[in-house]
Amino acid sequence: MNQPVLTASSPAAPRRGLPQLVVPVMFSQRAYLLIALAISLVFGMIALPTGVLPRSYATPSEALLLCLNAVLIFEIQFWLHFLLRYRPSAVQRWFARQSLLVDRGLRALLTALLVTGYSLGRHYLDARLGIAFNQPSMPLLLTLAQIVSIVGLSCQLGIELVERSRYLAQEVETLKREQLQARYESLKQQLSPHFLFNSLSTLSGLIYDEPAAAERFVNEMAQVYRYLLRHGEQMAVPLHEELAFVRSYAYLLQMRFGEGLEVHVDLPPEVLDRPLPPLALQLLVENAVKHNTVSRRQPLAITISLASADQLRVCNPRYPRLSPEASSGTGLSNLTTRIRLLHQQRLLVEQTDHEFCVLLPLPASLS
């Protein structure tokens, strides 16, 4: 069986010039339209006294017309945002690919043009129909149109802020559940019972033939389980402590496989204090041994090095076993979850016919 492949890329942060981090729509189309209608009616009720009270006389029809005009001028703005954000279309997908600055700027421009066009159309239509309202001057009309468009856009951004809050609350709950699940899985998979059984079998063969080697074997085994007790449930450990643990773990494996297994570490001193999840490297070493043939004629050489300034690479050649061990396939998945909780990034797997590599985020500090 090949080593399980789990590929993912790091999520891009919302920055200028890059696609925005799109928050999924949290309101249904019906709910959004009802919210928009309620907001429009509120502004219609606000516009009613401001349009009627300054006049010495206003008929019920005029009062109703003023209220409907205010409702309509906000409704057309919400319908524009509905089409651009809530109605699936090529235009909506295009807007989603733009940066946050471009998205907000274009929507503000379209809203201003729409409200200005409506206001001018309404102004000339009232004049043509002879509706005797106190018509403002053209500069004042254009100014009022921009104020109304700003108010409408602010209401829309408020709706999206509520959506973002609900989305983030759901994300927090999801991360909490994943964290609990990751810790549970980590406890279950710290070291397989097969490893303990094989280690004890190796030790029994050393006790009489090589007492000195048996003593070191016991010391290294104690280091492995001491590390598990001390760091097994922590979120992060310094890289140098994980490497010390992996060296002890690899020694126990090498006493079993002899020259068939090699572990090479090539890391600069300045990265040794950086954090990563405990047992991350041990899991990758264990996976390499589990899924590949280990023999003296064809040594399995595992290399731990830097892929970039903030990325760790663990590679091994691929020598697939003829009779693969049973595997649940949850090891890399569990490690991915722990890395996402720790660094808000994902591991990346690179696999060819001859090599299997896992790239782990190794930032200078916790995110």
Side-chain angles (χ1 to χ4, degrees):
M1 180 183 294
N2 296 336
Q3 286 171 254
V5 178
L6 181 61
T7 58
S9 58
S10 301
R15 300 194 297 269
R16 287 189 177 187
L18 293 179
Q20 58 181 305
L21 181 62
V22 180
V23 174
V25 172
M26 304 302 292
F27 294 120
S28 65
Q29 293 185 4
R30 180 180 179 183
Y32 173 80
L33 292 176
L34 289 175
I35 293 171
L37 179 60
I39 295 174
S40 300
L41 289 174
V42 168
F43 280 103
M45 298 304 295
I46 293 174
L48 184 59
T50 59
V52 172
L53 291 180
R55 305 179 62 195
S56 57
Y57 175 78
T59 65
S61 298
E62 290 175 339
L64 180 61
L65 194 58
L66 284 169
C67 180
L68 288 177
N69 181 56
V71 171
L72 283 175
I73 205 168
F74 280 96
E75 273 294 288
I76 61 173
Q77 297 180 69
F78 286 120
W79 269 100
L80 174 65
H81 295 298
F82 174 76
L83 294 175
L84 295 180
R85 176 167 169 78
Y86 297 88
R87 189 79 173 182
S89 66
V91 175
Q92 184 219 42
R93 290 190 291 272
W94 184 86
F95 267 86
R97 292 195 298 268
Q98 307 311 306
S99 68
L100 197 61
L101 184 63
V102 171
D103 174 77
R104 296 291 187 265
L106 284 178
R107 284 208 275 163
L109 178 61
L110 290 174
T111 302
L113 291 175
L114 188 63
V115 173
T116 301
Y118 174 85
S119 300
L120 289 174
R122 174 64 196 275
H123 175 81
Y124 288 114
L125 181 63
D126 287 350
R128 188 174 183 83
L129 295 178
I131 299 177
F133 283 145
N134 294 329
Q135 296 289 356
S137 63
M138 188 59 65
L140 180 58
L141 178 68
L142 294 176
T143 301
L144 290 174
Q146 304 317 308
I147 293 174
V148 169
S149 66
I150 291 173
V151 173
L153 183 61
S154 299
C155 291
Q156 172 62 30
L157 295 181
I159 292 174
E160 293 179 19
L161 182 61
V162 173
E163 287 188 313
R164 181 177 292 273
S165 299
R166 292 178 61 179
Y167 171 71
L168 291 177
Q170 288 187 7
E171 281 288 286
V172 168
E173 289 302 317
T174 300
L175 286 175
K176 286 181 179 178
R177 289 195 298 270
E178 288 183 351
Q179 183 176 14
L180 291 174
Q181 182 66 23
R183 287 183 176 179
Y184 172 68
E185 294 293 338
S186 179
L187 285 173
K188 289 199 304 182
Q189 299 175 12
Q190 280 179 353
L191 284 181
S192 68
H194 294 290
F195 170 79
L196 179 59
F197 174 79
N198 291 328
S199 297
L200 292 176
S201 297
T202 302
L203 178 61
S204 65
L206 293 174
I207 289 176
Y208 296 106
D209 298 332
E210 302 179 62
E215 182 179 358
R216 182 182 174 185
F217 190 92
V218 170
N219 289 333
E220 297 291 353
M221 195 170 179
Q223 292 291 340
V224 166
Y225 283 94
R226 185 178 296 113
Y227 181 89
L228 292 176
L229 293 174
R230 183 182 302 170
H231 300 301
E233 296 186 51
Q234 293 182 1
M235 286 291 293
V237 294
L239 177 58
H240 66 86
E241 293 190 16
E242 178 75 3
L243 286 173
F245 164 65
V246 167
R247 289 190 180 98
S248 296
Y249 178 76
Y251 175 82
L252 301 182
L253 292 175
Q254 287 167 338
M255 292 300 293
R256 173 185 168 194
F257 293 108
E259 297 177 1
L261 178 66
E262 302 172 2
V263 177
H264 304 288
V265 178
D266 182 17
L267 296 171
E270 58 267 21
V271 304
L272 297 182
D273 289 326
R274 295 187 182 182
L276 81 166
L279 308 178
L281 298 181
Q282 177 271 329
L283 171 68
L284 299 179
V285 172
E286 181 184 42
N287 268 5
V289 173
K290 180 187 298 183
H291 295 283
N292 293 279
T293 300
V294 182
S295 67
R296 182 177 299 179
R297 295 180 57 187
Q298 197 175 45
L300 181 67
I302 303 171
T303 304
I304 302 173
S305 60
L306 280 184
S308 64
D310 57 357
Q311 201 171 44
L312 196 66
R313 177 191 283 121
V314 181
C315 288
N316 63 267
R318 294 188 62 212
Y319 306 135
R321 291 189 172 201
L322 297 178
S323 54
E325 287 189 21
S327 174
S328 63
T330 60
L332 277 181
S333 176
N334 174 260
L335 180 57
T336 299
T337 301
R338 289 194 288 147
I339 286 176
R340 187 161 74 93
L341 292 169
L342 182 63
H343 296 308
Q344 287 76 56
Q345 300 182 44
R346 299 182 186 274
L347 62 77
L348 177 66
V349 172
E350 296 178 346
Q351 180 176 234
T352 67
D353 291 339
H354 305 290
E355 190 176 48
F356 186 90
C357 295
V358 176
L359 306 182
L360 299 172
L362 193 68
S365 60
L366 294 179
S367 302

